[in-house]
Amino acid sequence: MIRPSQLLHPPHTPAPIRDAATVLLLRDSPEGLQVLMTRRSDHASFAPGAYVFPGGGIDALDAQSHAAAARRPTQNDLHLTQAIAAIRESFEELGILLARHADGRMADDQDIARLHRHAPFAAQCAAQGLTLAADTVYVLAHWTGARELSKRFAVPFLVARMPEGQTPIADEQEQFEPVWVSPQQALERHAAGQFFMIFPTIRTLERLARFANADAVLAAVAHEQALWVCCPRGGLLAGKEVHYMEDEPPFGELALVCPDGQVLHPLDWQSATPVPLLRNVQRLTAPNPGFMTGPGTNSYLVGDPSTGYIAIDPGPADHAHLDKLWRAAGGDIRAIVCTHSHPDHSPGAAPLQALCTQAGRAAPPILGLPSAPTARAASAFTPDAVLQHGQQLTLTGPTGEVRHTLQAVHTPGHAANHLCLLQEEDGLLFSGDHILNGSTTVIDPPDGNMADYLDSLDRLDALCLQYEVEFILPAHGYVLHNARGAIAQLRAHRLAREAKVLAAMQALPDGTVQDWVAHAYADVPPRLWPVAQRSLLAHVERIRSMEPGND
């Protein structure tokens, strides 16, 4: 857990959360799946002028109206209350009524005309012999408003089929201009500036666009579980406010830097100045973006002015980058650690050390593991001192107290001499190239080894459990959150890919490596196959090592 003293921003209490519900009314058309949307009033206190799905706040009376509604055996009380609220709101806002007569007929326009939109809803329906069709309403997703918003709602996004024979008519107070639109059309119109929508609506439509028809949507939600649950986080990109869901790369960084949504953290990749992540962690990204390095190699400084700093992965021998790294540390670098010997990580170590000595300071030792005989020539590396697995590097304050501890963790797999570093006090994992954000690392035999890689993931998972690690700081990409979840997902991905490799080997026993890549990586663009081939060979090695007689 992050020490409060290391957070960049004071704690902030987000606005209280109010319960609401919204419903996506679906229909099939000759053009495909369509959803009913409506424009909010320009004077609304929340999302004025936005195109939305009908919905609103959950009233106390909604929870007291269960007897007026039909329910599925698997539909719990909370979901029933939410469904009733969504049915009520769609009636009040658009005159749509999800209700049945005793003989099973759905309500029609004549039934709707006998009801008043602003009188008690469930009681009116019961008086007309109508039962609310809450059993036809399912949970699609659940959204909670971003932490920085002044007005926040917890909103289940529900789905139901539009009743036949009904026509939406807006109340002309809260909602205007009801329109049937396909998810893709709504997204295209929004991109063209003609159909303003807020973030949860956009992301919901992006996912809805994957379904061919209403039946497919309803089949996907029949298990009574939301397909996703999200409380997005906001940041700044190119000077504009942007939001991200939990499964998107910037989310973890926003969670680390501004956990309560206190500020909008800039997310632009730049190599001019270091980016503070905590009071004791800075990141400076080397100007070496590319296919294999993403936005560039992340160099980290751990420490503070009172303790000095440990530099992690100085990167390539780029003088301007190293000078900025040295200046960000105030020239007080106590040690330089290379997670491994690849040319985008370790060549900057010696020049950075020289910068320190030129300024009259003692030479900080270059630490790590020497490159193995299996390493490529460009990855030759010999540290001043070898870091042993479990060895601790400490930074102490003026009175000798230990303030920051980095534990070395030997994690072979991507490279035989790969190390990760665990910052113990704050539960941070500096993962080098073992775990990346936005891509999977290449396992390139003979220096790379897939069995070692998977074993190293298990070792990291155990440490994350022991030290309550939530955040992973990779050598490429933004900070990751939910450390153990990220490791589990990465392990599952590797094993799923290995299953495809095994299937390719079995289907094409006389095939070439290129044949197997085309089979096992059919979901990857062919231009990436030469790189994928390296990891495929690592999977082949592991598969063959597990064959009988090879243990």
Side-chain angles (χ1 to χ4, degrees):
M1 301 292 290
I2 306 298
R3 291 171 289 179
S5 62
Q6 302 307 313
L7 294 173
L8 291 176
H9 308 288
H12 165 74
T13 302
I17 296 174
R18 310 176 190 182
D19 290 325
T22 191
V23 61
L24 285 69
L25 294 167
L26 308 178
R27 75 176 187 186
D28 295 318
S29 75
E31 293 76 33
L33 178 67
Q34 290 185 326
V35 60
L36 181 61
M37 302 189 70
T38 179
R39 181 175 60 81
R40 288 180 61 80
S41 166
D42 292 332
H43 304 291
S45 61
F46 179 78
Y51 279 87
V52 297
F53 314 116
I58 296 177
D59 295 340
L61 197 57
D62 296 326
Q64 300 168 17
S65 302
H66 288 190
R71 69 190 297 176
R72 298 181 298 277
T74 54
Q75 194 172 19
N76 63 36
D77 286 349
L78 174 60
H79 289 171
L80 181 60
T81 297
Q82 293 167 344
I84 292 171
I87 292 171
R88 175 182 53 75
E89 286 286 340
S90 63
F91 170 72
E92 292 174 356
E93 294 180 348
L94 296 179
I96 300 299
L97 182 58
L98 276 71
R100 296 189 191 92
H101 288 276
D103 60 6
R105 290 181 297 113
M106 291 297 291
D108 57 24
D109 286 344
Q110 291 183 350
D111 297 310
I112 294 169
R114 287 192 286 268
L115 303 179
H116 194 284
R117 293 195 187 191
H118 303 294
F121 174 64
Q124 286 191 86
C125 291
Q128 296 293 330
L130 296 170
T131 299
L132 304 183
D135 57 336
T136 67
V137 181
Y138 292 82
V139 178
L140 173 71
H142 195 283
W143 289 90
T144 302
R147 294 157 183 83
E148 72 272 11
L149 296 177
S150 59
K151 184 175 287 189
R152 303 177 69 209
F153 295 92
V155 189
F157 277 47
L158 311 173
V159 288
R161 196 184 299 274
M162 175 70 179
E164 293 184 7
Q166 295 187 23
T167 303
I169 301 175
D171 62 5
E172 300 295 328
Q173 295 178 3
E174 294 185 46
Q175 306 293 351
F176 301 82
E177 302 175 13
V179 58
W180 284 102
V181 62
S182 75
Q184 190 58 43
Q185 288 170 340
L187 294 168
E188 290 172 357
R189 291 175 63 184
H190 172 77
Q194 302 167 352
F195 203 78
F196 170 59
M197 298 185 294
I198 60 175
F199 180 79
T201 308
I202 295 168
R203 286 290 192 264
T204 299
L205 288 171
E206 287 174 347
R207 284 154 176 75
L208 197 64
R210 302 169 186 171
F211 293 94
N213 51 44
D215 282 345
V217 178
L218 295 172
V221 298
H223 51 60
E224 306 287 0
Q225 298 295 320
L227 297 187
W228 69 91
V229 176
C230 180
C231 179
R233 291 186 177 274
L236 289 175
L237 194 63
K240 295 182 179 180
E241 184 174 345
V242 289
H243 285 86
Y244 295 95
M245 298 175 66
E246 285 82 348
D247 62 344
E248 296 178 303
F251 187 94
E253 182 148 326
L254 297 173
L256 175 65
V257 177
C258 38
D260 298 330
Q262 301 98 317
V263 299
L264 293 176
H265 172 66
L267 293 165
D268 306 273
W269 287 106
Q270 49 82 25
S271 56
T273 57
V275 175
L277 299 174
L278 292 169
R279 291 188 182 276
N280 60 336
V281 179
Q282 302 175 67
R283 180 187 66 213
L284 183 65
T285 303
N288 62 334
F291 173 64
M292 296 297 294
T293 56
T297 301
N298 292 330
S299 300
Y300 293 100
L301 290 172
V302 175
D304 60 62
S306 70
T307 64
Y309 298 85
I310 295 174
I312 300 173
D313 280 342
D318 182 299
H319 178 77
H321 170 70
L322 298 171
D323 183 69
K324 291 169 187 171
L325 191 63
W326 176 75
R327 292 179 184 278
D332 190 6
I333 295 177
R334 306 292 177 90
I336 301 167
V337 181
C338 297
T339 60
H340 60 298
S341 54
H342 287 173
D344 60 318
H345 289 259
S346 63
L352 180 59
Q353 184 185 60
L355 273 177
C356 296
T357 57
Q358 290 167 12
R361 292 185 179 270
I366 298 172
L367 307 174
L369 292 174
S371 51
T374 50
R376 296 178 184 271
S379 296
F381 173 70
T382 303
D384 296 334
V386 174
L387 277 179
Q388 302 297 326
H389 175 69
Q391 183 176 340
Q392 293 175 318
L393 304 175
T394 59
L395 292 170
T396 58
T399 59
E401 77 281 9
V402 174
R403 292 193 177 175
H404 314 294
T405 305
L406 288 175
Q407 179 186 152
V409 186
H410 186 205
T411 51
H414 173 66
N417 70 332
H418 196 286
L419 289 169
C420 291
L421 295 162
L422 175 72
Q423 203 279 352
E424 295 183 1
E425 291 83 359
D426 298 303
L428 303 173
L429 178 64
F430 295 87
S431 63
D433 277 2
H434 200 79
I435 300 171
L436 306 177
N437 190 344
S439 64
T440 54
T441 196
V442 175
I443 311 299
D444 187 11
D447 203 47
N449 182 282
M450 189 62 70
D452 288 346
Y453 181 80
L454 293 171
D455 289 344
S456 295
L457 285 179
D458 293 341
R459 183 177 302 125
L460 291 177
D461 180 66
L463 282 172
C464 288
L465 175 62
Q466 179 182 352
Y467 287 91
E468 299 182 8
V469 174
E470 183 178 356
F471 296 100
I472 298 175
L473 288 75
H476 304 282
Y478 296 112
V479 176
L480 293 99
H481 74 121
N482 184 20
R484 296 192 67 209
I487 291 171
Q489 185 176 22
L490 182 55
R491 196 179 200 285
H493 170 81
R494 283 296 189 189
L495 293 177
R497 183 66 69 186
E498 186 162 285
K500 291 184 177 181
V501 172
L502 177 59
M505 295 169 66
Q506 293 172 337
L508 304 167
D510 299 320
T512 64
V513 170
Q514 291 77 14
D515 295 332
W516 293 344
V517 167
H519 193 288
Y521 287 82
D523 57 330
V524 173
R527 61 185 175 81
L528 303 181
W529 288 354
V531 175
Q533 180 176 313
R534 304 181 197 175
S535 291
L536 178 138
L537 288 172
H539 279 300
V540 170
E541 282 186 356
R542 182 172 182 271
I543 290 168
R544 287 177 171 166
S545 72
M546 294 187 293
E547 293 175 349
N550 290 330
D551 53 354

